[in-house]
């Protein structure tokens, strides 16, 4: 696979012992997409708009990508200023990824101007164009499901751009809904044509991934069988082995599966996979949803294998008034600050959002915690056995009762503002928080103490997706036009 950059060679053709990145021969003044380094990104401009995927509760109406004004100096601050409707109904747009990111920073002729929207329920992939008006994007192209089905793949999830200029999207299943992890490649030079799979190897499950060419590695995670999770969560599906418990380790250079790390009974549903942003650090974290744990993954001392160790564990709560007698936290998102100092995690069912200092990645320290809705609020139907006084008060922001729990996270480049939405996936929202089927979800902002640690809910910041023109929607993942803490992968340049 050849790089699109005239001055460089393809990054992933080189092992890190003799690594030559695509940026080696480029002047430092090169101004391609994104930023040269995480340090540069932290000095980037403040975010002024968010793109948020919005899932319609009325399935006769299409999902849409909302543009939300988050500039305090703007006359439309905290307003949805544009809604780009998809061209079909029932898609469940979910996560999103850019056509290029900081891994292509050495390519000044490339522009970060298109966002990819893989759909969990329809298997489509929408490509949205921001080039003419970032505040009012338009649909550029739709990749129909047949393009995936022809490869015996389905259920696309995570999209990242590659240093080659291609786009890679993880997939989680086969067209019949059974589990299978793989990756498709899109050729940007041929208008995002599906060109095949990244590797002939397949894994038992798929979900998220992150790559680091410097260490010749890609690490992917495992949710479950699409036929299981699309129908809602059932504990018997876990017992029947329909959910994953492993991390898969790939050779970036050779594009082959080289290792599977079994996380065991404490690693059920490993989801969001986050390498440190520093590309010369062989460390990362994965959050395991059902087990409500975080594992730290890293190279072994000899450098030939990867290992994973449990470093954060959220105990289940003994409760009455809930569907089970033990309530897991259900850790559905984790995020690393751009300087790799703090890890944030959301316990969607319990309702708390946490900040940990991970300066020492083997020993995270809890430094901040706030409660955002959740299932154990005081005077609600659930009682925590032995600790009813420890249950949080119901949160109201600007008079709006916050229903659901903290879920998707996005952090400002400087680390000072943490954005959070409260929807996970419509079949699971309906199950765990049925009231949100009437109220939709919300967008909140948390103020962050980046020096000493600490979190504080901004009581003046609310975007309420109950009041949308076509009825309430479930707002999910967030992106900034210039890249953010979960979209951009940095390469190790001399």
């Amino acid at each position: 696979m050849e790089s699109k950059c005239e001055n460089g060679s393809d990054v992933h053709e080189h092992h890190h012992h003799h690594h030559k990145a695509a940026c080696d021969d480029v002047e430092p003044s090169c101004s391609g997409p994104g930023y040269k380094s995480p340090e540069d990104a932290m000095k980037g401009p403040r975010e002024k708009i968010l793109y948020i995927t919005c899932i319609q509760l009325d399935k006769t109406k299409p999902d849409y990508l909302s543009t939300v004004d988050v500039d305090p100096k703007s006359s439309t601050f905290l307003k949805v200023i544009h809604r780009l409707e998809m061209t079909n109904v029932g898609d469940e747009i979910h996560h999103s990824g850019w056509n290029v990111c900081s891994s292509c920073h050495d390519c000044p002729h490339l522009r970060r101007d298109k966002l990819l929207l893989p759909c969990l329920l329809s298997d489509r992939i929408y490509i949205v164009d921001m080039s003419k008006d970032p505040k009012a994007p338009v649909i550029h192209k739709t990749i129909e499901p047949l393009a995936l089905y022809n490869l015996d793949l389905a259920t696309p999830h995570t999209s990242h751009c590659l240093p080659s200029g291609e786009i890679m999207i993880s997939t989680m299943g086969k067209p019949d809904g059974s589990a299978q992890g793989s990756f498709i490649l899109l050729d940007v030079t041929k208008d995002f044509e599906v060109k095949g799979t990244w590797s002939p190897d397949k894994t038992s499950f798929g979900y998220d991934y992150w790559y680091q060419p410097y260490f010749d590695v890609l690490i992917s995670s495992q949710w479950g069988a699409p036929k299981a999770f699309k129908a809602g969560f059932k504990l018997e599906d876990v017992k029947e082995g329909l959910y994953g418990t492993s991390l898969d380790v790939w050779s970036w250079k050779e594009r082959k599966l080289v290792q599977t790390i079994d996380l065991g009974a404490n690693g059920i549903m490993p989801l969001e996979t986050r390498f440190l942003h520093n590309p010369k650090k062989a460390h990362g974290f994965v959050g395991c949803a059902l087990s409500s744990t975080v594992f730290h993954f890293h190279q072994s001392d000899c450098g030939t294998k990867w290992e994973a160790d449990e470093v954060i564990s959220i105990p289940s709560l003994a409760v009455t008034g809930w569907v089970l007698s033990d309530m897991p936290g259900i850790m559905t998102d984790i995020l690393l600050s751009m300087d790799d100092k703090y890890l944030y995690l959301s316990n969607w069912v319990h309702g708390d959002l946490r900040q940990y200092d991970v300066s020492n990645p083997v020993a995270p320290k809890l430094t901040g915690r706030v409660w955002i809705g959740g299932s154990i609020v005081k005077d609600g139907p659930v009682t925590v056995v032995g600790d009813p006084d420890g249950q949080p008060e119901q949160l109201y922001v600007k008079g709006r009762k916050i229903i659901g729990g903290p879920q998707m996270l996005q952090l400002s480049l400087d680390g000072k503002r943490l954005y959070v939405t409260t929807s996970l996936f419509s079949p699971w929202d309906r199950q765990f928080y049925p009231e949100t089927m009437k109220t939709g979800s919300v967008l909140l902002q948390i103020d962050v103490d980046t020096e000493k640690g600490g979190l504080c809910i901004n009581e003046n910041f609310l975007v309420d997706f109950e009041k949308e023109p076509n009825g309430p929607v479930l707002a999910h993942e967030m992106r900034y036009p210039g890249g953010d803490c979960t979209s951009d992968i940095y390469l190790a340049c001399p």
Side-chain angles (χ1 to χ4, degrees):
M1 193 163 60
E2 293 183 359
S3 172
K4 294 175 63 179
C5 308
E6 296 175 0
N7 295 323
S9 57
D10 186 4
V11 171
H12 60 256
E13 292 301 320
H14 304 274
H15 191 268
H16 73 274
H17 292 304
H18 53 278
H19 177 72
K20 179 177 173 61
C23 44
D24 283 358
D25 304 323
V26 180
E27 291 299 319
S29 61
C30 170
S31 56
Y35 300 92
K36 182 180 178 181
S37 67
E39 292 79 11
D40 284 357
M42 292 189 72
K43 302 171 187 174
R46 177 179 174 137
E47 68 287 350
K48 293 184 177 180
I49 59 173
L50 301 184
Y51 300 120
I52 307 182
T53 52
C54 293
I55 293 83
Q56 268 288 356
L57 292 167
D58 181 347
K59 296 307 179 185
T60 68
K61 300 173 183 176
D63 299 340
Y64 54 88
L65 183 71
S66 63
T67 307
V68 178
D69 188 335
V70 293
D71 180 2
K73 298 178 181 178
S74 169
S75 61
T76 53
F77 181 49
L78 299 181
K79 302 291 186 184
V80 178
I81 57 175
H82 187 263
R83 299 169 183 86
L84 173 63
E85 292 189 340
M86 303 301 104
T87 52
N88 299 273
V89 297
D91 284 311
E92 188 96 17
I93 54 176
H94 192 64
H95 285 202
S96 59
W98 290 106
N99 59 324
V100 296
C101 75
S102 294
S103 68
C104 295
H105 182 63
D106 62 321
C107 307
H109 60 287
L110 297 181
R111 291 184 64 195
R112 188 201 302 259
D113 60 7
K114 292 182 179 65
L115 192 65
L116 285 87
L117 303 176
C119 303
L120 281 190
L121 295 185
S122 71
D123 299 328
R124 286 188 184 87
I125 302 168
Y126 291 97
I127 298 161
V128 174
D129 187 355
M130 283 78 173
S131 62
K132 293 182 179 178
D133 184 354
K135 292 184 178 181
V138 298
I139 291 179
H140 171 75
K141 183 178 181 177
T142 304
I143 298 174
E144 293 295 339
L146 188 60
L148 278 67
Y149 298 165
N150 286 339
L151 299 170
D152 197 30
L153 303 178
T155 324
H157 189 270
T158 296
S159 174
H160 280 301
C161 73
L162 305 188
S164 61
E166 294 166 302
I167 293 166
M168 189 157 82
I169 302 177
S170 62
T171 58
M172 297 186 284
K174 296 182 178 182
D176 66 0
S178 59
Q180 174 186 259
S182 186
F183 307 93
I184 62 167
L185 286 175
L186 306 186
D187 189 339
V188 179
T189 66
K190 296 183 178 179
D191 198 28
F192 302 93
E193 178 183 296
V194 177
K195 62 186 295 186
T197 57
W198 177 71
S199 169
D201 296 350
K202 304 292 189 291
T203 55
S204 52
F205 299 93
Y207 185 70
D208 196 23
Y209 74 95
W210 199 278
Y211 63 83
Q212 266 307 345
Y214 187 73
F215 296 101
D216 184 32
V217 70
L218 179 151
I219 291 182
S220 59
S221 60
Q222 305 183 345
W223 186 4
K227 64 182 179 183
F229 64 69
K230 288 182 180 183
F233 175 69
K234 299 174 186 173
L235 200 56
E236 49 267 34
D237 287 342
V238 178
K239 296 174 182 177
E240 292 178 14
L242 294 177
Y243 286 95
T245 59
S246 298
L247 291 179
D248 292 303
V249 183
W250 305 72
S251 166
W252 179 254
K253 179 176 64 175
E254 299 180 10
R255 300 194 196 185
K256 68 179 184 180
L257 182 65
V258 294
Q259 186 186 351
T260 296
I261 304 173
D262 183 4
L263 304 178
N266 288 348
I268 303 171
M269 291 189 211
L271 297 183
E272 310 307 327
T273 307
R274 315 292 190 199
F275 259 97
L276 297 187
H277 291 98
N278 184 336
K280 291 188 177 180
K281 298 287 188 181
H283 296 272
F285 299 92
V286 63
C288 302
L290 185 60
S291 301
S292 303
T293 52
V294 174
F295 280 75
H296 164 233
F297 57 81
H298 54 95
Q299 267 192 328
S300 61
D301 291 340
C302 62
T304 58
K305 294 283 187 179
W306 289 77
E307 300 172 347
D309 309 297
E310 182 183 325
V311 292
I312 298 172
S313 178
I314 309 298
S316 293
L317 299 174
V319 296
T320 59
W322 201 60
V323 63
L324 300 172
S325 58
D326 285 307
M327 178 189 287
I330 307 291
M331 186 189 299
T332 51
D333 197 14
I334 67 169
L335 176 148
L336 284 168
S337 61
M338 195 63 78
D339 59 2
D340 298 327
K341 180 179 180 181
Y342 292 114
L343 180 146
Y344 299 89
L345 64 83
S346 52
N347 289 312
W348 185 59
V349 168
H350 283 179
D352 56 327
L353 171 60
R354 299 185 180 204
Q355 176 198 53
Y356 288 83
D357 186 328
V358 290
S359 301
N360 178 4
V362 303
K365 297 179 180 178
L366 180 64
T367 50
R369 187 185 190 194
V370 290
W371 289 91
I372 299 172
S375 304
I376 58 168
V377 293
K378 285 183 180 177
D379 302 320
V382 176
T383 299
V384 178
V385 177
D387 190 26
D389 294 334
Q391 294 181 229
E393 299 286 344
Q394 172 65 57
L395 176 64
Y396 291 83
V397 177
K398 298 178 76 170
R400 164 63 144 98
K401 180 181 179 182
I402 305 304
I403 300 163
Q407 211 290 106
M408 288 309 296
L409 306 175
Q410 194 51 263
L411 185 67
S412 61
L413 294 174
D414 63 8
K416 295 180 179 179
R417 293 168 301 282
L418 184 66
Y419 296 93
V420 56
T421 56
T422 52
S423 166
L424 174 61
F425 174 47
S426 63
W428 291 38
D429 289 16
R430 185 177 297 109
Q431 184 177 3
F432 286 92
Y433 293 108
E435 200 174 341
T436 60
M437 296 298 103
K438 297 178 181 178
T439 66
S441 66
V442 298
L443 170 69
L444 302 176
Q445 186 189 82
I446 314 300
D447 295 325
V448 179
D449 185 332
T450 57
E451 294 185 13
K452 299 179 181 178
L455 301 174
C456 182
I457 296 169
N458 182 340
E459 296 183 357
N460 296 312
F461 188 105
L462 171 74
V463 179
D464 186 353
F465 288 90
E466 181 180 6
K467 304 181 187 303
E468 286 294 272
N470 281 331
V473 296
L474 300 171
H476 187 64
E477 195 188 45
M478 301 153 276
R479 290 278 176 235
Y480 312 141
D484 50 58
C485 290
T486 57
S487 64
D488 282 35
I489 294 175
Y490 295 85
L491 302 183
C493 298

